[in-house]
């Protein structure tokens, strides 16, 4: 036992001098640790974290090679966060130019807190940016030569109170506001004496001698009318663009009478050549004159409630948010009340290099960070309350106002100070104060979620990391440290309940669980277990290579003794730790953080390495404590694979964002993202192969999970490519877009081919054999169906995305193709078909060349989609031009044949092309080239064909006998009886039959005949003879007899009950029994009745021929039958 204790003590001493692989790669605290922060955009940071994740996985897999080279690790410190420290070599000159531009172009009345001296401000900025006088002079000269900033005024008319009543105890107030040019340049005494209004008399305006007195009012804007109130609430916002140094904001509040002057004013800005206040007065007078017949002086008709005049150069830097007393227009005006206005000046255009490259938020954040770093450089840690010097406050205020960031200032300050805290340690009470300010001013529409979500997350992770080491970072022996810890907990607790936090971080609603996990320090415990196992492996390696040989002399197997005891100690400790982890995960809704997942994976690989030393033990010593240790990791490895999947998706997302086209294998064009995705897949495959899960059931579950992850990631990648192309297609020309789309198709195909090797890469046959050995043939079949089903579904999804990409291509080509189709359609008959089709074929030839040169696979699927699009477009063009000259359809027939030859020459088969829309187009062209008589004949051929297929119908049947007397050229028709005809009058019917020779243009002299009406029966017996004399037309296939059964109705139109047709060739052709003198003795035949609607294509074709009398008459009869059927 003493020996075991000595061995364990030796191992622990090794632990003190060594560290785990994770500790070796994390310089405290490392860039990928929870303490880290990266000022880049969120997508870039996530991608870098994903890349670091896979790099750490590769390092873990290579751990055995560098385990003995571990170096001493230092404990975590609160105040260091190297990843967040900004690069001092960044382009500060551009930021300095932005600040100088702000100072040179500052406007507004400064407050007592602001510095007004340029020299004092520039002297301060030289220290902040560490810039010499020469550099400052160069940048200042550049700014002075640049274009001056363009300012705008945001005016918010909120409400008014205590207005004068113009009607019985109330008014209908509305506001007009606009900018009066050059008015504020007058002397204060003159301004005091003079009152401005939009309602100046035109004659007074004309009498002004100075041009300044005739300056126009621009952008006159009007609020809504608030009826029957003396305390209106408008809350309307306007933006005016004017010269902030000399102009004046003028606002009128008026009462709206029966005629809407407000509506007339709103039309003012729609009129070109605005002529100022006098023009407005003309509109107001005109509206009132037209709306009221009352007479009186202009003053008596005036509904003026008061006005406000504010010089733009008198607006403070931070703007106005105040109540303004209404002023009278003249000494005779009677006004009262106040109006609440918010006025804010900001720049609408800035001529700086940085403003053209980055957003205002990003620039202001960099400026604030630069100033905060300078201000905090010589302060005590934790004692700085965030207050900056007057020059700094002046610069920050002017830049925030000019870039219109006043509403976002608190959010930006929080983002900057919370990030700065991780490097310089500010006072926690400052951070809490900023959180309260954000919560008090929270306005979701005005604050972007990504402005806060990232900083909230990073600060939370920073605090959780400190909690994990609270005994070292916040020791109980330091009262100041305990006070800081209390303030930190109060801050993070307050943040969790903020409306802003719940809005931008909806998934972080269980922060208390994260804090509980951090306090438990389970992750740190597992990291130490990794360190112990790594040290044990190193010690066992020494025992095998060095000490074991020394003990041969005394016949002691030192390696076996050491291994047995250390393995037992390790197994006991790891088993307890993993049971604790599993219990924690179950209590915390099965959540596993990324760092915890990485630690679990590293611990598993370390135990696997330790277990691998068993091969050097005697054969009778194989069943030891680590046998079956993988079962301790089942649930956690499942969750770890989910983390791998999430990081893979992040990596794929970033790969698509930073895509670059490149030449890949065999000169086939791919983008960098396709190679990055397959590289990611290979790394995940290597992780699985190194896990080498030992039992078959677990292997099947994990392989199924991995296959599903691979497939979903491939589909996700294809969807990302599609969305990216959808966003970028507007700015690309035709050729560039085709190349980009072909590269995307190649990328999808590249990933699909890689995943096609998954059965070999993940050893599916081995999994099938293992499941067959443990579960029989059913187990093998289950593996086969599950895994192959996943690949099959993935292939379908990728084909769907490929079709979507091709649809983007064809949609992009639609305008050009439509133009070429229209060219063919409108080409005169004097142009031959080749010349008419040539532009279209040239365009297609150029497109096919690009496809052939760019696509990895053959381009048949693209050409097939293109062919289908062309068919639809030609069909639409032909359909829109029914009833024109036959040459029009011949030309399109030639176009289709030319396209068939072209596409067949590029690989498409005729069988694939001559299907679907091709048949519809062929039929459309064929019918359009037919005459009206030919279409009618085609109609009867279809009726005859349908009649031959009828065996039994619910509309009844009719029994007839027909025979033909050839010498007399006389056709005899004998209608015997009908049965089971349709009941159209209360379970009965009054049927009669109409007999006709059709088509009528073939039998122009044959008139239709009808039987007598048989009342109240469904089985009428007619037994009547009809004689139709006809010439030789019976030889036509479409010549027929039609039998139409009608229901007689003496109060309204007769109802259609059914019809049947009989071709004349059945009984008139020589050699038929009916065509002889003995034809009278032939047996009657049965015709089943039908009620099928007329052929729509033929009917539409004939209906389009408006000038054809025969066609219109035929369509009219068909429509009558159709209408009768619909009414029934």
């Amino acid at each position: 036992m003493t020996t075991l204790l000595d061995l364990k003590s030796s191992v622990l001493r090794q632990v003190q001098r060594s560290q785990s692989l994770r500790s070796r790669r994390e310089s405290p605290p490392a860039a990928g640790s929870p303490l880290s922060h990266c000022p880049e955009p969120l997508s870039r940071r996530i991608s870098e974290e994903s890349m670091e994740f896979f790099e750490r996985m590769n390092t873990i897999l290579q751990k055995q090679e560098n385990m003995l080279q571990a170096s001493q690790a230092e404990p975590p410190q609160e105040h260091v966060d190297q990843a967040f420290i900004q690069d001092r070599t960044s382009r500060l000159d551009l930021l300095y130019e932005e600040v100088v531009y702000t100072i040179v172009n500052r406007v507004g009345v400064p407050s007592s807190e602001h510095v007004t001296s340029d020299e004092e401000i520039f002297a301060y900025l030289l220290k902040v940016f560490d810039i010499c006088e020469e550099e400052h002079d160069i940048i200042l000269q550049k700014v002075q030569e640049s274009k001056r900033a363009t300012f705008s005024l945001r005016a918010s008319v909120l409400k008014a109170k205590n207005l004068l009543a113009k009607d019985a105890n109330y008014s209908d107030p509305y506001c007009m506001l606009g900018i009066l040019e050059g008015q504020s340049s007058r002397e204060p005494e003159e301004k005091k004496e003079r009152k401005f209004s939009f309602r100046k008399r035109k004659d007074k305006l004309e009498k002004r001698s100075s041009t300044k007195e005739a300056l126009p009012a621009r952008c006159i804007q009007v609020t809504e009318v608030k009826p029957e109130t003396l305390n209106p609430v408008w809350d309307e916002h306007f933006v005016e663009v004017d010269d902030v140094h000399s102009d004046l904001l003028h606002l009128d509040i008026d009462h709206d009478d029966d005629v809407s002057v407000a509506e007339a004013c709103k039309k003012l800005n729609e009129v070109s050549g605005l002529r100022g206040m006098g023009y407005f007065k003309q509109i107001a007078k005109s509206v009132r004159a037209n709306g009221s017949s009352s007479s009186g002086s202009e003053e008596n008709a005036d509904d003026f409630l008061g006005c406000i005049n504010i010089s733009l150069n008198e607006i403070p830097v931070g703007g106005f948010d105040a109540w303004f007393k209404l002023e009278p227009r003249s000494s005779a005006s009677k006004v009262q009340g106040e109006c609440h206005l918010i006025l804010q000046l900001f720049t609408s255009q800035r001529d700086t290099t940085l403003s053209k490259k980055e957003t205002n938020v990003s620039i202001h954040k960099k400026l604030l960070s630069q100033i905060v770093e300078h201000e905090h450089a010589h302060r005590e840690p934790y004692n700085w309350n965030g207050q900056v010097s007057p020059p700094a406050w002046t610069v920050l205020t002017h830049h925030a106002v000019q870039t219109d960031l006043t509403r976002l200032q608190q959010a930006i300050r929080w983002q900057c100070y919370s990030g700065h805290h991780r490097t310089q340690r500010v006072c926690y009470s400052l951070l809490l104060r900023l959180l309260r300010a954000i919560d008090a001013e929270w306005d979701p529409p005005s604050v972007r979620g990504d402005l806060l979500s990232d900083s909230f997350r990073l600060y939370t992770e920073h605090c959780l990391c400190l909690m994990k080491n609270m005994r070292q970072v916040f020791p109980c022996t330091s009262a100041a440290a305990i006070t800081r810890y209390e303030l930190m907990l109060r801050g993070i607790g307050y943040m969790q309940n903020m409306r802003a936090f719940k809005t931008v971080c909806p998934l972080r609603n269980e922060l208390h669980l994260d804090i509980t996990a951090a306090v438990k320090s389970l992750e740190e415990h597992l990291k130490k277990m990794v360190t112990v196992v790594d040290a044990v492996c190193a010690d066992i390696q020494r025992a095998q290579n060095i000490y074991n040989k020394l003990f041969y002399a005394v016949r002691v197997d030192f390696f076996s003794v050491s291994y047995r005891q250390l393995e037992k100690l390790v197994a006991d400790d790891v088993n307890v730790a993993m049971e604790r982890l599993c219990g924690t995960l179950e209590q915390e809704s099965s959540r596993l953080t990324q760092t915890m997942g990485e630690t679990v994976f590293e611990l598993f690989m370390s135990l696997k390495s330790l277990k691998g030393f068993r091969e050097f033990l005697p054969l009778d010593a194989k069943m030891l404590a680590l046998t079956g240790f993988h079962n301790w990791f089942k649930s956690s490895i499942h969750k770890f694979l989910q983390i791998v999947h999430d990081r893979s998706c992040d990596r794929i997302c970033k790969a698509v964002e930073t895509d670059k086209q490149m030449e890949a294998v065999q000169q086939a064009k791919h983008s960098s993202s396709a190679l990055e995705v397959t590289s990611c897949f290979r790394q995940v495959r290597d992780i699985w192969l190194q896990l080498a899960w030992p039992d078959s059931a677990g292997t099947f579950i994990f392989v199924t999970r991995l296959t599903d992850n691979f497939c979903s990631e491939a589909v996700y990648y294809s969807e990302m490519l599609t969305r990216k192309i959808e966003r970028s297609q507007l700015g690309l020309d035709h050729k560039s877009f085709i190349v980009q789309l072909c590269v995307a198709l190649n990328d999808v195909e590249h990933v699909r081919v890689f995943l096609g090797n998954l059965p070999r890469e993940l050893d599916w046959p081995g999994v099938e054999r293992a499941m067959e050995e443990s579960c029989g043939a059913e187990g093998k079949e289950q593996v086969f169906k599950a895994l192959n089903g996943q690949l099959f579904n993935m292939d379908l999804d990728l084909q769907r995305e490929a079709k979507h990409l091709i649809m983007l291509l064809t949609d992009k080509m639609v305008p050009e193709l439509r133009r070429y189709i229209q060219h063919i359609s409108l080409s005169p008959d004097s142009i031959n078909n080749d010349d008419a089709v040539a532009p279209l074929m040239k365009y297609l030839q150029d497109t096919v060349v690009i496809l052939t040169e760019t696509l990895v696979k053959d381009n048949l699927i693209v050409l097939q989609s293109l062919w289908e699009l062309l068919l639809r477009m030609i069909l639409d063009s032909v359909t829109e031009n029914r009833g024109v000259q036959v040459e029009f359809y011949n030309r399109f027939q030639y176009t289709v044949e030319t396209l068939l030859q072209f596409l067949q020459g590029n690989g498409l088969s005729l069988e694939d092309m001559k299907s679907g829309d091709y048949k519809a187009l062929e039929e459309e062209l064929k019918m359009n080239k037919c005459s009206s008589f030919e279409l009618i004949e085609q109609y009867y051929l279809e009726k005859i064909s349908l009649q031959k297929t009828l065996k039994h119908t619910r509309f009844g049947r009719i029994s007839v006998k027909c025979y033909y007397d050839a010498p007399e050229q006389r056709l005899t028709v004998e209608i015997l009886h009908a049965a089971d005809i349709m009941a159209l009058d209360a379970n009965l019917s009054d049927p009669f039959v109409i007999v006709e020779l059709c088509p009528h243009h073939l039998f122009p002299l044959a008139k239709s005949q009808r039987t007598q009406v048989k009342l109240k029966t469904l089985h009428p017996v007619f037994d009547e003879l009809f004689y139709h004399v006809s010439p030789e037309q019976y030889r036509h296939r479409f010549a027929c007899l039609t039998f139409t059964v009608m229901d007689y109705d003496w109060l309204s139109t007769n109802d259609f009950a059914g019809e049947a047709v009989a071709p004349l060739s059945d009984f008139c052709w020589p050699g038929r029994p009916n065509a002889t003198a003995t034809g009278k003795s032939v047996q009657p035949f049965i015709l089943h009745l039908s009620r099928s609607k007329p052929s729509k294509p033929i009917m539409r074709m004939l209906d389009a021929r408006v000038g054809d009398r025969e066609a219109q008459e035929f369509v009219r009869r068909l429509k009558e039958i159709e209408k009768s059927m619909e009414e029934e």
Side-chain angles (χ1 to χ4, degrees), residues 1073-1127:
N1074 309 58
T1076 64
T1078 60
K1080 296 181 180 180
S1081 61
V1082 299
Q1083 294 294 322
F1085 56 91
I1086 303 298
L1087 294 174
H1088 294 280
L1089 299 177
S1090 67
R1091 286 169 55 87
S1092 59
K1093 291 187 177 182
S1095 173
K1096 288 294 183 183
I1098 294 178
M1099 189 172 174
R1100 285 195 299 266
M1101 202 73 62
L1102 292 171
D1103 195 23
R1105 302 181 179 184
V1106 180
D1108 192 327
R1109 187 176 59 83
E1110 292 288 341
Q1112 293 301 308
E1113 178 63 22
F1114 186 79
V1115 170
R1116 184 190 63 78
R1117 294 180 59 194
L1118 295 183
K1119 286 182 177 180
E1120 288 178 356
I1121 294 176
E1122 188 174 14
K1123 182 179 179 181
S1124 176
M1125 294 170 62
E1126 290 174 354
E1127 291 175 352

Side-chain angles (χ1 to χ4, degrees), residues 78 382 428 473-474 479-489:
E78 180 188 358
Y382 299 114
Y428 281 105
V473 180
F474 305 107
I482 294 300
T483 301
R484 294 199 307 270
Y485 198 24
E486 178 187 4
L487 287 172
M488 187 189 79
L489 291 174

Side-chain angles (χ1 to χ4, degrees), residues 487-498:
L487 287 172
M488 187 189 79
L489 291 174
R490 285 172 59 189
I492 201 169
Y494 184 86
M495 184 175 67
Q496 184 182 9
N497 295 318
M498 289 171 57

Side-chain angles (χ1 to χ4, degrees), residues 765-986:
V767 178
E768 292 180 8
R769 288 192 299 270
M771 286 296 291
E772 186 177 20
E773 293 174 0
S774 59
C775 303
E778 293 182 358
K780 179 180 180 181
E781 184 179 0
Q782 182 183 6
V783 173
F784 181 83
K785 287 183 177 180
L787 298 180
N788 284 280
Q790 289 175 326
L791 273 189
F792 178 76
N793 291 331
M794 179 272 299
D795 199 60
L796 290 180
D797 290 335
L798 292 186
Q799 289 181 24
R800 182 198 68 231
E801 288 303 317
K803 290 179 180 178
H804 191 180
L805 288 171
I806 294 171
M807 185 180 68
L808 293 177
L809 169 62
T810 54
D811 289 346
K812 187 80 171 181
M813 297 173 67
V814 163
E816 287 296 315
L817 291 176
R818 183 177 289 116
R819 186 164 64 87
Y820 292 126
I821 296 296
Q822 188 177 19
H823 171 76
I824 297 173
S825 174
L826 299 179
S827 295
D829 296 339
S830 58
I831 297 179
N832 60 49
N833 291 335
D834 286 333
D835 293 337
V837 179
L840 173 63
M841 302 311 299
K842 175 67 168 56
Y843 176 78
L844 293 178
Q845 179 64 42
D846 294 342
T847 302
V848 170
V849 168
I850 299 174
L851 294 175
T852 305
E853 293 177 349
T854 311
L855 283 177
V856 174
K857 291 180 63 177
D858 55 48
N859 53 18
L860 297 186
I861 184 172
V862 182
L863 293 182
Q864 183 66 34
S865 299
L866 186 57
W867 166 243
E868 293 171 357
L869 173 64
L870 286 167
L871 287 178
R872 290 193 297 271
M873 296 181 72
I874 294 175
L875 181 59
D876 291 342
S877 181
V878 172
T879 304
E880 293 170 359
N881 292 277
R882 290 194 177 114
V884 299
Q885 296 295 326
V886 177
E887 288 76 10
F888 176 85
Y889 308 109
N890 287 334
R891 176 157 289 175
F892 273 111
Q893 183 71 49
Y894 178 83
T895 302
V896 173
E897 293 172 355
T898 305
L899 289 172
L900 279 171
Q901 295 176 3
F902 172 76
L903 295 175
Q904 185 184 13
N906 283 278
L908 285 184
S909 68
L910 284 175
E911 183 179 358
D912 292 335
M913 288 190 288
K914 290 188 175 182
S915 60
D917 290 335
Y918 173 80
K919 294 183 177 179
L921 176 59
E922 186 180 38
E923 184 66 21
E924 183 77 15
L925 289 171
K926 178 182 176 182
M927 288 194 297
N928 272 290
K929 291 191 291 184
C930 291
S931 65
S932 297
F933 287 165
E934 290 173 333
L935 289 175
I936 295 173
E937 292 164 1
Q938 180 64 29
Y939 171 82
Y940 283 108
L941 283 175
E942 293 179 6
K943 297 288 289 184
I944 293 171
S945 178
L946 175 64
Q947 185 69 49
K948 292 179 179 179
T949 62
L950 297 178
K951 300 300 181 184
H952 178 74
T953 68
R954 60 188 180 90
F955 305 112
R957 57 194 180 277
I958 185 172
S959 177
V960 299
K961 183 189 293 186
C962 300
Y963 45 91
Y964 182 69
D965 187 352
E968 297 293 332
Q969 293 186 345
R970 183 175 60 191
L971 177 65
T972 303
V973 180
E974 184 177 353
I975 303 176
L976 302 179
H977 63 271
D980 300 326
I981 64 174
M982 190 175 181
L984 297 175
D985 296 327

